[in-house]
Amino acid sequence: MRRLADASTLEAATLGGTLLSAGAGGEEWLASARADGMVALAAGEVEIIDLDELADDDLIITVAAVGAPSTNRSRVRPEDRIEAVRALLADIGDGVRAIMISEATTVNGWLQGATLGLPVVDAAGDGRGHPTVEMGSLGLNDRLTVQTAVAGGDRPLRVVTHGSLADTSQVLRQAAVQVGGLIACARLPLPAGIVRERAAIGAVSYQIRLGELMRQGDPTRIGEFVAVRTGGAVLATGEVRSNSVSLRGSFDIGEVVVASAEGDLRLPVVNEYMAAWRNDRRLALFPDLLATLSPATGLPVALKDLRPGSPVVVLHVPKEHFPVGAGARDEGNLKEVETMSGLVMR
C-alpha cells in the first residue's frame, strides 16, 4: 500500500488514534491532532507506505512525545517535532528512508515526513498508547542508540543522547520533568528488516480503519458498535465514582473507579489505562486496549476529564485483535511500570 493522506484520512486517523490513546486522549487531544495534521498536509505530501516497499537495510527512525499527557504546563510544538528529527539525522548521517510512530495514537510523523521528504511506514512501536519509551521501542532496551529531544516555548531545551535505549530513555524522562510536560523526540534508527520482525505491523492502517468505523456508528451506542467490530466488549456503562490520577514525576499515576450495575470497575493508570479489575477479578491487562467513551457523543474521554459523577462507557479490546509491538509484549517493561507506580496490575 502506498497512499497520500488527505483531509478524510486525517479525520479517520485522529479519531482512531484518540481511542487508541487508552485514556490519555480526549477532545483536546483530538483537536490538537487535527491541527497538527492540517499543518502537515499544508507543508507537503504525507505519504504512507508498507514496510514491504523498503529494503531490509533501509533505516527507519521512530518519533514520539515523551512525558505526562495530561499536563498543561508544556506542549510540543510542530517545530519541535521537526527539530528533533533534524538533530537525529545530523547525528547519524545518511541512510534514513522512512519514519515510524512510537504508538498509533496521533499523526506524529506526518509533519516531519512532509517537511523532510520521508514517508511514514504502516507500522508502529506499539498499536496503542503506552507510558514508557521502552514499551514503544520493539523490546530493544539494551541496544545502543541515539535519542534526541526538543522542547521550545518558554523553557527551550535540546538534548542529544548516546547509549543503551534504557539509559537514554531515563535522560529523556528527566528532560520532560525539567520542562514540566512533554518533549518531542526522535530515536532508534533501525534497519527495516528488524522493524519488520518486531514492530506493530499495520498499526497505521488499523488506526485509520478504526476511525472510519467510529464515523459510521450511532454516537450514543458507539462503544457497543466498535466492540462488536473489533473483537472487544463493553466492560461497564455507568458513572465515575473516583479519579485519583495525579502527576508524579513525568507520569500520570493513580486509579479510576467506574460504578456500574455489575459492580465497581477499577482501572489502574500510568499515563494510560493499564488493567481492569472487578470484584478482585482481572478483566484486562496491558497491552489490551482500554478506553473511556462519552455515552452522549461516542468520543473518547481523557483521564483528566473523568470527574466523579460523570457518565462513561468503558471499552476493552484484547491485544489479539490489534497490532502490538515487541516492546509492549515485554514482561520486563510491564514489571518496571508496576514497580515504579506501586499499582497492582497482575
Side-chain angles (χ1 to χ4, degrees):
M1 175 197 76
R2 180 182 287 265
R3 67 186 293 179
L4 293 180
D6 57 18
S8 178
T9 314
L10 172 62
E11 179 64 15
T14 53
L15 272 174
T18 304
L19 185 66
L20 290 165
S21 73
E27 291 187 14
E28 290 181 16
W29 179 290
L30 184 60
S32 177
R34 283 171 174 158
D36 286 347
M38 292 303 295
V39 171
L41 293 176
E45 289 187 343
V46 177
E47 187 178 23
I48 303 170
I49 65 170
D50 283 339
L51 268 170
D52 290 344
E53 298 187 42
L54 298 174
D56 279 352
D57 57 354
D58 285 341
L59 291 181
I60 300 171
I61 61 171
T62 295
V63 295
V66 170
S70 75
T71 181
N72 292 317
R73 289 182 290 162
S74 172
R75 294 295 184 193
V76 172
R77 306 175 308 166
E79 54 265 43
D80 299 333
R81 299 181 190 278
I82 296 170
E83 180 56 28
V85 172
R86 282 189 169 139
L88 183 64
L89 296 178
D91 191 278
I92 64 177
D94 296 331
V96 174
R97 298 290 178 263
I99 291 174
M100 183 172 73
I101 52 177
S102 69
E103 56 182 43
T105 60
T106 67
V107 290
N108 192 1
W110 285 29
L111 177 61
Q112 300 95 312
T115 303
L116 302 174
L118 294 169
V120 176
V121 294
D122 185 11
D126 186 13
R128 55 147 286 177
H130 54 259
T132 68
V133 172
E134 292 87 345
M135 284 177 166
S137 297
L138 313 187
L140 299 173
N141 297 0
D142 295 328
R143 187 180 180 91
L144 294 179
T145 189
V146 184
Q147 294 204 63
T148 60
V150 174
D154 296 334
R155 303 183 68 177
L157 183 68
R158 186 175 186 270
V159 178
V160 178
T161 61
H162 294 253
S164 73
L165 181 82
D167 289 342
T168 55
S169 295
Q170 292 291 337
V171 175
L172 264 59
R173 288 174 191 161
Q174 289 304 311
V177 171
Q178 187 68 29
V179 300
L182 293 169
I183 50 175
C185 302
R187 61 175 180 259
L188 214 60
L190 288 173
I194 293 178
V195 174
R196 230 185 299 276
E197 295 171 357
R198 308 181 69 87
I201 307 301
V204 175
S205 291
Y206 184 88
Q207 175 186 357
I208 293 169
R209 288 197 305 272
L210 184 59
E212 291 169 344
L213 186 65
M214 293 171 68
R215 295 165 73 179
Q216 297 170 14
D218 175 356
T220 63
R221 302 193 67 183
I222 198 69
E224 301 166 35
F225 183 78
V226 172
V228 168
R229 285 155 180 79
T230 59
V234 172
L235 293 186
T237 300
E239 64 178 37
V240 178
R241 184 181 296 281
S242 63
N243 183 347
S244 66
V245 178
S246 62
L247 184 64
R248 299 189 210 167
S250 59
F251 294 96
D252 295 320
I253 295 174
E255 183 178 79
V256 173
V257 179
V258 176
S260 69
E262 298 82 10
D264 285 358
L265 186 72
R266 296 188 297 107
L267 303 168
V269 171
V270 181
N271 282 6
E272 292 88 8
Y273 298 120
M274 302 300 293
W277 291 81
R278 180 186 284 130
N279 299 326
D280 294 325
R281 179 183 170 219
R282 194 187 70 221
L283 304 179
L285 178 67
F286 181 90
D288 289 357
L289 174 66
L290 290 158
T292 38
L293 308 175
S294 163
T297 67
L299 293 176
V301 182
L303 283 157
K304 66 184 181 65
D305 297 324
L306 290 174
R307 297 175 179 86
S310 58
V312 69
V313 174
V314 181
L315 174 68
H316 169 224
V317 182
K319 60 183 176 297
E320 295 80 11
H321 296 296
F322 64 96
V324 177
R329 297 191 299 267
D330 189 308
E331 285 286 318
N333 289 340
L334 181 59
K335 184 177 181 180
E336 178 196 11
V337 171
E338 289 177 307
T339 301
M340 172 265 298
S341 67
L343 298 173
V344 177
M345 297 176 194
R346 288 181 286 185

